[in-house]
Amino acid sequence: MKAKWQPHVPTGGGRSFACVWLCRWWEAVGTQGRRRLTEEAARQLQKTSEFKPSYRAGSNTTRSLWSSSPRPSPQEPNQRTTEQAGESPETMSNADVEGGGQARAAAPTTGIKPPPGRYNSSNVDGQHAPVSPFYYDHAAQHERQHHTWLVPLVVLANVAMFIVVMYYNDCPRNGADCIGRSVLGRFSFQPLKENPLVGPSAATLEKYGGLDRYKVVHGNQAWRLETSTWLHAGLIHLGANMISLIFVGVRLEQQFGFWKVGLVYLISGLGGSVLSVLFIRNGVSVGASGALFGLLGAMLSELITNWTIYSNRIAAMANLLIIAAINLAIGILPHVDNFAHIGGFVTGLLLGFVLLIQPQFGWSAQPFGGKTKSKYTACQIVLLVLAVILTIAAFAVGLLMVFRGVNGNDHCGWCHYLSCVPTSSWKCDT
């Protein structure tokens, strides 16, 4: 939730914890997708004439060798060759079984070395053996999983920023009936009638970086477009956003790495602030929800652009759309800046097509020296180019309108309903 502050702050809208559900099905979908990739990769490799599986006696591990020697015909089984050589199959190595016995063990090899990464460094008679005939095996999956450190660091930074703001808020200095004054001292919270989210005053948030349209447009304080995403209106606001960030951000960082997720987070927060300034005329807006919605939008575009590697595509798409709709619907409550949510979501959606694109299935699972597929499909490339163009154009136009002081409501008479829908229970003040 991105809180929108007024001179008198009534109760703010709560944030959905649907991100917990999102994380669980995202992990399940990823597991099913990798299983499907494993099965399809095995079928592709088995169709090639050079692929010859062999089994090490006394072991359940399947290995594959790449050799220039012809495949043994049915009329010359390995068992007969083994008996002629005076050996038993149990004492033969992979190379012996593959070559038809020790008599063929010295056959020349192709000398082709496979690429590093998914293969072990050991060789049998000069031949490099893949650890597994599957492209997406467990070892490769482990190598591709990134360490998670950025998301916890962002959480700590937000918590530290909240503590600093509470220190300078110093509620007892104003003589108000502060919450926890006897225990927390200057860190005590503003009265609930002033801030129901249990936090500092609106004046303190505005002073230390809150998003104020007038100061951005007329005060040359464009830095507020980004600093406002690191401030929170209270403990409830902070806790809801940080829990959502952990459940969504950690999974994305493990899969795509810190710099991609970091760029999506920062730029999405900026995009949400730009749209907020264009349409929100009064009050101070704070919160990391624009950046969080950017991560949610990036997950949706990642599913679209990497469509072929998922098994339950329709179910995954339906779940993402439902969760996004629920969270955006919360934004129509009063005193919640839904324009920041929408701006962050659209920005993250576009960035996902650019940063979270993955190679199509089978592009490097071809035999060495054979014709390989292109790394990305034509659809992926088209989406990437369109996303880059739209992102640059949207930020250029949006920032230009912001610094010219354009009121977005003048060009869209119904857009204010996206952030608040008036009812008999509350009124909207944009």
Side-chain angles (χ1 to χ4, degrees), residues 72-97:
S73 62
Q75 290 77 13
E76 296 178 356
N78 288 337
Q79 181 66 28
R80 183 182 301 177
T81 307
T82 303
E83 293 174 355
Q84 292 175 359
E87 297 179 359
S88 62
E90 289 76 13
T91 61
M92 295 180 65
S93 66
N94 274 357
D96 296 333
V97 175

Side-chain angles (χ1 to χ4, degrees), residues 14 33-34 67 83 93 118 123 144 169 171 187 208 221 232-233 248 267 278 307 312 327-328 333 367 369 379 382 391:
R34 289 190 294 270
S67 172
E83 293 174 355
S93 66
R118 297 181 301 276
N123 57 60
R144 290 193 305 271
N169 182 65
C171 179
F187 291 96
Y208 290 100
Q221 298 181 8
H232 289 85
V248 176
I267 300 177
L278 286 175
W307 186 257
N312 297 329
N327 283 274
L328 289 173
L333 297 173
C379 182
V382 170
T391 302

Side-chain angles (χ1 to χ4, degrees), residues 67-333:
S67 172
S68 59
S69 59
R71 181 182 297 178
S73 62
Q75 290 77 13
E76 296 178 356
N78 288 337
Q79 181 66 28
R80 183 182 301 177
T81 307
T82 303
E83 293 174 355
Q84 292 175 359
E87 297 179 359
S88 62
E90 289 76 13
T91 61
M92 295 180 65
S93 66
N94 274 357
D96 296 333
V97 175
E98 188 68 18
Q102 290 183 353
R104 300 167 67 178
T109 63
T110 60
I112 300 176
K113 295 183 178 181
R118 297 181 301 276
Y119 300 84
N120 60 6
S121 58
S122 61
N123 57 60
V124 181
D125 293 339
Q127 299 191 39
H128 290 255
V131 175
S132 168
F134 305 146
Y135 175 73
Y136 289 92
D137 52 45
H138 295 291
Q141 177 185 346
H142 178 71
E143 291 176 1
R144 290 193 305 271
Q145 191 174 34
H146 301 271
H147 295 289
T148 303
W149 61 269
L150 179 64
V151 171
L153 185 63
V154 171
V155 172
L156 291 177
N158 278 275
V159 173
M161 193 64 192
F162 181 77
I163 295 175
V164 170
V165 170
M166 290 304 304
Y167 175 83
Y168 286 104
N169 182 65
D170 195 7
C171 179
R173 183 184 57 184
N174 300 324
D177 187 14
C178 307
I179 300 176
R181 180 173 184 173
S182 60
V183 177
L184 300 176
R186 68 182 300 157
F187 291 96
S188 56
F189 308 107
Q190 296 296 127
L192 290 179
K193 62 181 180 180
E194 180 181 348
N195 185 350
L197 297 178
V198 190
S201 64
T204 302
L205 290 172
E206 180 182 357
K207 180 180 179 180
Y208 290 100
L211 187 61
D212 186 348
R213 177 191 173 278
Y214 183 84
K215 292 188 176 181
V216 171
V217 176
H218 303 288
N220 297 323
Q221 298 181 8
W223 48 268
R224 290 179 179 269
L225 294 172
E226 189 62 42
T227 58
S228 62
T229 64
W230 298 88
L231 299 176
H232 289 85
L235 281 179
I236 299 175
H237 190 201
L238 175 68
N241 279 348
M242 293 304 100
I243 291 175
S244 300
L245 175 60
I246 291 173
F247 277 101
V248 176
V250 168
R251 182 62 55 186
L252 283 176
E253 187 178 355
Q254 287 177 345
Q255 186 174 1
F256 297 101
F258 73 93
W259 72 270
K260 293 182 178 181
V261 176
L263 281 178
V264 172
Y265 185 87
L266 292 175
I267 300 177
S268 297
L270 178 62
S273 296
V274 169
L275 193 63
S276 177
V277 170
L278 286 175
F279 288 94
I280 301 298
R281 314 298 294 177
N282 303 318
V284 179
S285 179
V286 293
S289 294
L292 292 176
F293 271 82
L295 297 180
L296 188 61
M299 292 175 70
L300 179 59
S301 58
E302 191 273 332
L303 174 62
I304 296 173
T305 192
N306 303 317
W307 186 257
T308 58
I309 73 173
Y310 289 98
S311 55
N312 297 329
R313 306 179 183 111
I314 304 301
M317 176 67 72
N319 276 304
L320 263 177
L321 292 176
I322 291 173
I323 292 172
I326 292 174
N327 283 274
L328 289 173
I330 295 176
I332 66 175
L333 297 173

Side-chain angles (χ1 to χ4, degrees), residues 49-78:
S49 59
E50 293 293 327
F51 176 72
K52 298 178 292 182
S54 62
Y55 301 89
R56 183 180 299 276
S59 173
N60 294 327
T61 304
T62 304
R63 303 170 68 88
S64 59
L65 297 174
W66 299 89
S67 172
S68 59
S69 59
R71 181 182 297 178
S73 62
Q75 290 77 13
E76 296 178 356
N78 288 337

